[in-house]
Amino acid sequence: MRKKLVALALSLCCGAVVAAAADRIFTTANPATELKRLFPAATAFSTLTGEPLHFTAYAADPKVTPATPPLGVAFWTTDLVPQEHGYHGPIHILVGMDMTGVLTGVVVTYDSEPYGYFSVEPPKFATQFKGKKIGDPFRVGGDVDVVSRASISIASATRAIRDSARMAAKQLLAEAAK
Amino acid sequence: MDPAVESWREILAPQALDLCLLTAFLALAFVSFFRKSVALKYVTLVASVGYLGFAKSSLVSVSDVFRLTDLSVPEFKYSLAWYAFMLFVVFSTVLWGRVYCGRVCAFGALTQLLDPIIPRKWRFEIPVRVEKYANLIKYAILAAVLVYFLITHDVALPVRYVEPFWMFSLFGTTGMWVGLGVLLAATLIVRNVYCRFLCPVGAALGIISQLTTVFSIKRWSECRTCKICEKTCEWGAIRGPKIVKSECVRCDDCERLYMDQKKCPHWLILFKRKGNTAVPVSTLS
């Protein structure tokens, strides 16, 4: 019996090694439908580029009309704050922000939270970030709704949105816009 | 405007209440365990269902076994109570065995609270020779969900359909509630059916218990022939002179018997030889 259990433990360890080497799920590089949801007025988007990595939304194709000003930027929380983990791994959120530091919306595209189905996945979670300014408190229990029994997931997703938006604003938006 | 400008005060304040309540609960669990008190154990079980269950939904899930394979953990400074809880689970299992299963897990606590309420005639006791093999089902389930997770990286399906722990969140689809209903109905007939035969977390902790358990339960030499504890053990964890560490959840039932100088043959034989009646345990053990 003891030998069997040791063998089982060893096989679990082997499984762990295999898993570590296996594919991880990465953020999609061309989230066309999600970008359209964040910027309905936009007709063109840049590719994922820049430092930090972001998409730029335009009302008119900049290849045709080079002078067209950007409507805003969109970025993945997983690119900007990769260290931010929820209960089980990073929560993939695409954040849209206009050029004045106001969020145009967020889209949660993937999570592996055990209780994701009643915390970060319902649209109710994402919609409350629309119209938020980067200087807002983003406090769970304050301007962000509490979901009891899923506090780690909600807190992590909220921090990811707040920190990535502030980071993007600092580096991408014009000084005057802040 | 900088992202990381939170003071420790801002980080700790939202967690303070949970840290205090968790510490209080774990202290209660330890006191009930070390005093072998029946009353305190029931207080612990009720507190577990109320606080760790319905209030926090903080149970060790098979997703916590999954994280051993990808080493994905919540952020430390924002999840102090969770880390304290997990440390407790690992250390208590290494030191004493499946204490977590026996009195901390909210679902286990719930099914154990059903025990004294359900009439004995409803019960079906699984024969020992069947039980030996039925115990292995949970290891098969653990292996199956681990393989499923390694292939798909999907946490949601095992959490919703292999475990009943989501019930404390009260969020479930009709299918999930029906499954839970079937499981609870089975629990009325077979005592703690989920914990003993099906739980993959119990299987994982069972492996740790089997390999470690620093402080195992004492056995007398008389235990070789006496069956009183074996018959009393509601977890089927005593087979002859041996305690099966992977099945024992440290419920205290046999340990209370060892101390009972009117029931345990160890004492009865000792007193017969010495020709006197009960003496304080402390002077003998």
Side-chain angles (χ1 to χ4, degrees):
Chain A
M1 190 65 191
R2 205 185 165 88
K3 265 186 184 166
K4 270 185 204 165
L5 284 168
V6 172
L8 185 60
L10 278 177
S11 54
L12 287 182
C13 293
C14 296
V17 175
V18 173
D23 300 327
R24 303 275 312 254
I25 295 157
F26 287 102
T27 310
T28 165
N30 185 21
T33 49
E34 287 85 359
L35 286 172
K36 197 70 195 160
R37 270 166 68 191
L38 296 177
F39 294 98
T43 56
F45 293 96
S46 73
T47 52
L48 186 60
T49 177
E51 180 56 46
L53 283 173
H54 66 284
F55 303 94
T56 311
Y58 297 98
D61 194 340
K63 281 180 203 126
V64 186
T65 43
T68 182
L71 288 173
V73 292
F75 44 86
W76 289 106
T77 54
T78 39
D79 287 333
L80 271 68
V81 284
Q83 77 286 356
E84 183 60 63
H85 278 214
Y87 193 79
H88 187 258
I91 301 164
H92 296 195
I93 307 168
L94 187 69
V95 182
M97 183 169 69
D98 72 11
M99 299 313 280
T100 64
V102 174
L103 302 191
T104 61
V106 307
V107 187
V108 180
T109 60
Y110 172 83
D111 71 89
S112 49
E113 303 296 281
Y115 290 161
Y117 69 102
F118 65 78
S119 57
V120 293
E121 286 164 29
K124 199 169 153 267
F125 173 75
T127 46
Q128 61 187 333
F129 290 94
K130 193 175 178 174
K132 248 186 218 317
K133 294 183 201 63
I134 50 166
D136 283 354
F138 287 83
R139 205 172 67 76
V140 178
D143 56 339
V144 177
D145 290 341
V146 175
V147 176
S148 51
R149 310 180 196 96
S151 46
I152 290 181
S153 308
I154 291 285
S156 164
T158 303
R159 283 195 305 271
I161 296 166
R162 178 196 66 188
D163 294 350
S164 62
R166 288 179 183 174
M167 192 185 279
K170 199 175 176 188
Q171 297 184 47
L172 301 175
L173 304 190
E175 198 62 37
K178 280 188 216 171
Chain B
M1 267 325 154
D2 263 336
V5 286
E6 283 167 307
S7 65
W8 272 102
R9 197 192 169 81
E10 281 172 297
I11 292 166
L12 282 175
Q15 302 184 65
L17 179 68
D18 274 338
L19 274 169
C20 292
L21 288 174
L22 180 73
T23 310
F25 172 79
L26 295 181
L28 172 67
F30 269 128
V31 171
S32 76
F33 176 55
F34 286 117
R35 299 194 63 154
K36 309 291 166 208
S37 150
V38 182
L40 277 181
K41 188 177 153 185
Y42 276 101
V43 175
T44 311
L45 296 180
V46 171
S48 167
V49 173
Y51 176 64
L52 288 186
F54 288 109
K56 295 304 295 177
S57 228
S58 138
L59 291 87
V60 181
S61 148
V62 72
S63 71
D64 295 309
V65 181
F66 295 162
R67 72 170 87 248
L68 297 176
T69 69
D70 55 12
L71 301 178
S72 171
V73 287
E75 273 205 74
F76 180 73
K77 62 179 175 181
Y78 298 113
S79 325
L80 297 173
W82 183 83
Y83 276 89
F85 184 59
M86 287 296 155
L87 274 180
F88 162 82
V89 172
V90 173
F91 276 97
S92 66
T93 308
V94 168
L95 293 179
W96 298 284
R98 288 170 62 186
V99 180
Y100 171 79
C101 300
R103 68 187 71 211
V104 176
C105 170
F107 188 81
L110 181 74
T111 61
Q112 286 184 73
L113 286 173
L114 291 176
D115 269 354
I117 306 168
I118 296 161
R120 255 175 200 280
K121 60 182 176 190
W122 292 13
R123 290 290 193 201
F124 174 71
E125 298 295 342
I126 295 196
V128 177
R129 66 199 148 77
V130 179
E131 188 177 32
K132 249 165 83 177
Y133 295 102
N135 283 335
L136 301 176
I137 297 172
K138 57 180 174 293
Y139 297 99
I141 292 178
L142 174 65
V145 288
L146 264 179
V147 168
Y148 172 83
F149 173 73
L150 292 179
I151 294 169
T152 62
H153 291 275
D154 173 29
V155 178
L157 185 129
V159 165
R160 286 179 222 183
Y161 295 102
V162 179
E163 291 182 326
F165 305 148
W166 58 267
M167 65 164 277
F168 293 104
S169 75
L170 305 177
F171 286 92
T173 58
T174 316
M176 286 157 77
W177 285 112
V178 169
L180 179 74
V182 171
L183 178 66
L184 288 178
T187 310
L188 299 182
I189 302 164
V190 181
R191 173 191 290 131
N192 299 318
V193 63
Y194 183 75
C195 313
R196 285 159 69 195
F197 307 122
L198 303 174
C199 181
V201 174
L205 295 178
I207 293 171
I208 302 178
S209 309
Q210 187 68 36
L211 296 174
T212 58
T213 309
V214 178
F215 304 109
S216 44
I217 293 176
K218 172 161 74 175
R219 299 289 277 163
W220 303 120
S221 58
E222 290 86 347
C223 297
R224 256 186 277 262
T225 44
C226 171
K227 301 273 179 200
I228 179 171
C229 291
E230 188 172 342
K231 282 178 188 148
T232 307
C233 182
E234 296 186 340
W235 298 84
I238 303 181
R239 284 173 207 153
K242 271 184 70 183
I243 290 185
V244 186
K245 287 177 176 176
S246 57
E247 295 303 321
C248 172
V249 299
R250 303 300 296 245
C251 71
D252 302 338
D253 284 352
C254 64
E255 290 183 277
R256 270 195 291 271
L257 270 177
Y258 297 146
M259 292 188 292
D260 191 330
Q261 302 182 353
K262 293 202 174 81
K263 283 185 188 155
C264 177
H266 172 77
W267 303 111
L268 298 178
I269 292 166
L270 201 71
F271 299 145
K272 209 170 183 182
R273 221 180 276 157
K274 285 196 172 178
N276 59 5
T277 47
V279 276
V281 177
S282 55
T283 61
L284 285 163
S285 55

